[in-house]
């Protein structure tokens, strides 16, 4: 499968600080990347779709001013959690799609565990 | 009705048995279906993708799709303790733009 990396893997920060998470496609170019959030014992929830060279598309209920997404190149998307609070503590996972013939397969990065104190 | 439904489990099977995981979806126009495995504390890993009715086999894994019944399943043959994980069913919905996940089925393979 295609390789997607994320950095950092784990972040602990104080309430009110901003945290940037990087997502990279290592062996393919991704015009579109996706950001998910997963709370303990819950399923993945799509936060936003990141489009290279244009604005991200946010899902209903996700604050675009709090979760800033930048897709600066075909291999890099970043998610910045601004003024993080304890309720933002979660597992953040990015992914990207790779065309495989008639089907587009979606591969996930290893995730970033954010803990806000 | 949830878009993608799975039994949360846990589903317990003995080592060497066949594990059968099921998923139903509500969007009739869905075209692509996926099974992911997620170990505790890790991100999802793609196991199988399927888009045609019928069976698709890859090693010990077989995905089965029935679009008329809006049903997709995953069979794991010769289950191993290392198969113990949560299995997520995902469906490409919204005109093919959005991957929607079920809540996952926890599988436990017992020695």
């Amino acid at each position: 499968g295609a390789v997607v990396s994320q950095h950092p893997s784990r972040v602990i920060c104080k309430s009110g600080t901003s945290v940037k998470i990087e997502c990279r496609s290592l062996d393919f170019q991704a015009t579109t990347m996706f950001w998910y959030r997963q709370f303990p014992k819950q399923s993945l929830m799509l936060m936003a779709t990141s489009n290279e060279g244009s604005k991200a598309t946010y899902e209903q209920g996700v604050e675009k001013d709090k979760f800033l997404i930048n897709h600066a190149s075909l291999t890099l998307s970043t998610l910045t959690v601004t003024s993080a609070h304890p309720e933002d503590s979660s597992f953040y996972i990015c992914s990207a799609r790779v065309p495989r013939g008639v089907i587009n397969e979606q591969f996930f990065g290893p995730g970033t565990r954010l803990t806000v104190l | 009705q949830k878009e993608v439904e799975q039994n949360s489990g846990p589903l317990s099977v003995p080592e060497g048995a066949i594990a059968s995981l099921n998923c139903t979806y509500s969007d009739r126009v869905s075209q692509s279906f996926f099974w992911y495995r997620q170990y505790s504390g890790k991100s999802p890993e793609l196991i199988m993708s399927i888009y045609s009715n019928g069976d698709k086999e890859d090693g010990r894994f077989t995905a089965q799709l029935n679009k008329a019944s809006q049903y997709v399943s995953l069979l794991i043959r010769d289950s191993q303790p290392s198969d113990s994980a949560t299995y997520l069913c995902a469906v490409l919905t919204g005109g093919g733009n959005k991957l929607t996940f079920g809540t996952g089925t926890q599988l436990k393979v017992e020695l």
Side-chain angles (χ1 to χ4, degrees):
Chain A
V3 180
V4 178
S5 71
Q6 262 183 264
H7 178 81
S9 59
R10 186 178 295 269
V11 179
I12 300 174
C13 68
K14 292 182 179 180
S15 184
T17 59
S18 294
V19 175
K20 179 186 280 190
I21 303 169
E22 292 187 348
C23 176
R24 294 181 186 272
S25 56
L26 297 186
D27 52 359
F28 65 100
Q29 293 183 329
T31 55
T32 304
M33 291 184 176
F34 305 87
W35 287 96
Y36 291 82
R37 181 167 55 181
Q38 187 176 36
F39 293 106
K41 299 194 183 299
Q42 293 187 25
S43 190
L44 290 159
M45 294 301 298
L46 179 64
M47 298 176 67
T49 302
S50 170
N51 304 298
E52 188 268 337
S54 65
K55 292 182 179 180
T57 304
Y58 291 82
E59 294 298 302
Q60 190 174 8
V62 178
E63 299 175 57
K64 62 180 181 180
D65 294 330
K66 181 169 182 65
F67 298 100
L68 302 179
I69 292 172
N70 185 297
H71 197 146
S73 75
L74 288 171
T75 60
L76 173 65
S77 175
T78 60
L79 168 67
T80 300
V81 183
T82 62
S83 186
H85 288 93
E87 58 266 29
D88 298 322
S89 298
S90 188
F91 191 40
Y92 292 85
I93 318 172
C94 72
S95 71
R97 282 193 194 146
V98 179
R100 301 283 196 198
V102 297
I103 199 168
N104 292 327
E105 293 184 336
Q106 193 162 321
F107 296 91
F108 286 83
T112 297
R113 192 162 303 281
L114 171 63
T115 303
V116 185
L117 303 176
Chain B
Q1 182 187 6
K2 293 181 181 177
E3 292 186 67
V4 181
E5 293 206 50
Q6 294 180 256
N7 188 316
S8 62
L11 172 65
S12 294
V13 299
E15 184 179 7
I18 296 175
S20 178
L21 304 161
N22 305 313
C23 171
T24 58
Y25 60 94
S26 61
D27 187 347
R28 282 196 169 273
V29 300
S30 300
Q31 294 295 317
S32 302
F33 308 86
F34 307 86
W35 282 100
Y36 287 84
R37 177 175 62 197
Q38 186 174 24
Y39 292 112
S40 181
K42 302 295 185 181
S43 68
E45 173 191 7
L46 181 64
I47 298 175
M48 294 283 287
S49 60
I50 187 168
Y51 64 93
S52 297
N53 276 324
D55 296 359
K56 179 182 178 183
E57 186 176 319
D58 184 0
R60 295 187 296 114
F61 299 100
T62 299
Q64 298 175 319
L65 175 61
N66 184 324
K67 291 186 180 179
S69 300
Q70 295 176 240
Y71 176 93
V72 58
S73 65
L74 178 71
L75 300 178
I76 305 175
R77 288 181 298 282
D78 189 24
S79 295
Q80 301 297 309
S82 58
D83 294 326
S84 298
T86 296
Y87 288 80
L88 302 169
C89 172
V91 178
L92 204 57
T93 59
N97 294 323
K98 181 178 172 180
L99 199 61
T100 300
F101 286 85
T103 53
T105 298
Q106 185 184 4
L107 173 66
K108 293 184 177 180
V109 181
E110 299 167 334
L111 294 171

